[in-house]
Amino acid sequence: MPQTNVYTVLQITAYIKSLFTGDPLLADVWLSAEVSGFTQATSGHCYFTLKDASAVIKAVIWRTQAGRMTLPRNGEAVLAHGYISVYEQGGAYQFYVDHIEPAGAGRLWLEFERLRGRLEAEGLFAAERKRAIPPRPARLGVATSPTAAALRDILRTLAARWPLVEVILAPTPVQGEQAPPGIVAAIQALNRWSAEREPLDAIILARGGGSIEELWAFNDERVARAIVASATPIITGVGHETDFTIADFAADLRAATPTAAATLATPDRRDLAASLASLTNAAHRDMTDRLAAARERTAGLTRRLARLSPEARLASNRQRVDEMHRRAALAMASRLREVRERLTGQQLRLAALDPTAVLARGYAIVSLPNGAVVTSVGQVKPHDALHVRVADGAFDVTVDGR
Amino acid sequence: MTDQPNFEQLYRELEEAVHRLETGDLTLDESLALFEQSVRIAEQCNGLLDQAELRVRQLTARPNGGLTADPFAG
């Protein structure tokens, strides 16, 4: 007996399971079959088999899934979706069901899945195709039935949130044979209006809740292509939260309901009022800052200006003038004193030279009749008349001899 | 149809004015003027928000192939 490559049951089962879980086909399986042996355990999990004429597969619906779906009955033809994997403890492979529905509806689902796959492969649902919805629309197109509750929900929502918007309604049937061409025509008419008359910011394509058959127009390829071709961005609001249609995949934005579509298409004016207030506040704050800064700069300049003002310069000049004045006065005074002293000296010398002072001491001045002062004997001869001057007067004499 | 002042235009003007106030190299005179303008625009915007009433018109195809939009009665 070879001793290599011997496994435990668990080991080989884990390997088999890995083959199942690694297979992409088994991870995503649609089965068309008949239900038999359906039981729901007290745990809530459901066990049954799916079979056709020549084969059988074990199937499970977990409690958490079972709560969310209509459970099948024995003998019912169904379409089921899920994955196939291995239940180790039972030594069996099983179909783990996450979606099951009656076969009639199942045909619709298959059709839906096929169309979705085809359009997706064509790139119609690509994220980069999605256009942004303008945040504050001025004019919205609405394509829906003019008599349905969906339109009232939309208009009520718009009136409450964003009454500034103008609504251009393009009426169309939203279920039945006429619905797909009607929806296509409505989308085209709105785009024409937008291009030729008044631009639309976005189009809401809506329908209220209903059965899968009633919503079927929104799974129509023509509708999907009209949405993709629309020059105006489209928001869909079709059915309820859980309903997804091809139109939803094709749209620029998918809303769960008509009301949600109106909400996504518009801002709430109360939010806008708040954002206006914050913008105004920002402007206000900035202006206050600017004024404060300007005031500060002005104050600084005023201080510098004060230091540089002519008045300041004048004051200092005045001081310099005063100084000069004081020095001039000093110089003048000393000069005067000096002059006066010299004058006094001259006066004394003058006084010394005064001839009258000599006369007072007993001297006399003798002069000839012509006025010449006699300073020599030779100037006179006997009988000459002479004039004699003394301190207090004068008299005439005659020369007696020599 | 009467042509209301467009809220979107006004709002963008306001955003732009505030942005310039915050970042622009403006003289005090210019910024004061811009500030006053911003306040005026904000008041206009608020007025539009307060007074607006939803208007609905319905598209109808005419026999000649044209489109008309008449007030929608509901």
Side-chain angles (χ1 to χ4, degrees), chain A residues 278-357:
Chain A
S278 96
L279 269 179
T280 320
N281 283 345
H284 217 278
R285 210 168 34 247
D286 188 74
M287 204 56 233
T288 313
D289 290 354
R290 258 166 203 277
L291 284 174
R295 211 168 277 133
E296 182 60 30
R297 280 199 309 275
T298 310
L301 279 179
T302 309
R303 284 194 296 275
R304 283 171 60 193
L305 207 57
R307 284 198 294 280
L308 296 170
S309 83
E311 204 169 316
R313 201 169 287 185
L314 214 58
S316 93
N317 281 353
R318 201 169 280 138
Q319 194 172 347
R320 280 162 57 200
V321 170
D322 283 353
E323 176 69 8
M324 294 308 290
H325 191 264
R326 197 176 58 80
R327 283 167 58 190
L330 276 177
M332 204 58 217
S334 92
R335 183 91 185 113
L336 273 174
R337 201 161 46 246
E338 188 187 319
V339 168
R340 198 169 289 127
E341 276 163 13
R342 277 168 53 194
L343 199 60
T344 310
Q346 294 296 331
Q347 274 176 333
L348 289 176
R349 283 169 64 193
L350 264 178
L353 293 172
D354 187 354
T356 56

Side-chain angles (χ1 to χ4, degrees), chain B residues 22-40:
Chain B
E22 279 169 348
T23 60
D25 190 13
L26 300 171
T27 68
L28 195 59
D29 272 355
E30 287 167 341
S31 53
L32 263 174
L34 198 57
F35 173 69
E36 281 165 9
Q37 191 193 339
S38 316
V39 171
R40 267 201 312 279

Side-chain angles (χ1 to χ4, degrees), chain A residues 11-257:
Chain A
Q11 280 170 337
I12 202 67
T13 306
Y15 174 71
I16 293 168
K17 184 171 185 175
S18 77
L19 293 178
F20 276 78
T21 54
D23 186 300
L25 176 70
L26 297 182
D28 182 11
V29 176
W30 286 97
L31 276 187
S32 177
E34 190 189 310
V35 176
S36 73
F38 185 90
T39 57
Q40 183 162 27
T42 48
S43 62
H45 306 316
C46 303
Y47 304 97
F48 55 106
T49 57
L50 289 171
K51 61 175 190 180
D52 56 24
S54 48
V56 165
I57 187 167
K58 288 186 171 192
V60 180
I61 301 175
W62 297 126
R63 177 168 51 92
T64 48
Q65 313 271 1
R68 285 196 262 117
M69 59 178 78
T70 310
L71 296 173
R73 290 182 302 271
N74 284 326
E76 188 176 16
V78 294
L79 179 73
H81 178 266
Y83 65 96
I84 294 171
S85 184
V86 171
Y87 172 51
E88 294 97 327
Q89 288 89 338
Y93 64 91
Q94 299 188 130
F95 185 37
Y96 295 83
V97 175
D98 55 29
H99 179 89
I100 193 164
E101 63 189 66
R107 215 181 44 248
L108 287 181
W109 269 111
L110 277 178
E111 210 177 296
F112 174 93
E113 279 299 319
R114 268 201 298 270
L115 179 59
R116 188 176 72 82
R118 187 153 55 80
L119 297 184
E120 185 161 35
E122 219 182 291
L124 262 51
F125 307 153
E128 56 268 25
R129 291 193 77 112
K130 311 290 183 195
R131 291 158 297 185
I133 309 300
R136 295 168 293 275
R139 197 172 291 107
L140 287 175
V142 175
T144 193
S145 161
T147 54
L151 178 61
R152 288 198 302 278
D153 290 347
I154 289 170
L155 295 183
R156 199 179 51 238
T157 306
L158 293 179
R161 286 174 62 84
W162 193 240
L164 284 77
V165 77
E166 189 183 4
V167 174
I168 304 292
L169 172 66
T172 170
V174 289
Q175 75 183 66
E177 284 291 302
Q178 290 312 305
I183 292 168
V184 170
I187 291 172
Q188 287 170 348
L190 287 169
N191 273 295
R192 210 178 123 197
W193 188 262
S194 178
E196 294 173 6
R197 304 293 290 275
E198 299 166 313
L200 299 171
D201 292 303
I203 292 171
I204 296 175
L205 172 61
R207 192 210 187 282
S211 70
I212 182 171
E213 288 85 0
E214 284 169 340
L215 297 183
W216 205 248
F218 294 87
N219 291 322
D220 190 286
E221 182 171 353
R222 288 166 290 173
V223 170
R225 293 197 181 276
I227 290 171
V228 171
S230 171
T232 312
I234 292 190
I235 307 169
T236 49
V238 177
H240 293 306
E241 311 283 342
T242 52
D243 299 324
F244 255 93
T245 63
I246 299 287
D248 289 325
F249 289 113
D252 294 280
L253 186 61
R254 183 253 174 186
T257 63

Side-chain angles (χ1 to χ4, degrees), chain B residues 2-74:
Chain B
T2 56
D3 220 22
Q4 283 187 7
N6 184 321
F7 181 91
E8 183 62 16
Q9 275 168 12
L10 287 172
Y11 190 79
R12 277 171 200 250
E13 262 181 62
L14 179 61
E15 276 183 327
E16 155 115 25
V18 171
H19 181 72
R20 280 190 64 207
L21 269 176
E22 279 169 348
T23 60
D25 190 13
L26 300 171
T27 68
L28 195 59
D29 272 355
E30 287 167 341
S31 53
L32 263 174
L34 198 57
F35 173 69
E36 281 165 9
Q37 191 193 339
S38 316
V39 171
R40 267 201 312 279
I41 298 173
E43 280 167 3
Q44 269 181 289
C45 287
N46 274 319
L48 285 180
L49 288 181
D50 293 341
Q51 291 156 21
E53 259 186 60
L54 189 68
R55 293 176 300 157
V56 184
R57 287 182 290 152
Q58 178 171 346
L59 285 188
T60 315
R62 300 173 109 177
N64 66 7
L67 283 172
T68 55
D70 302 315
F72 175 66

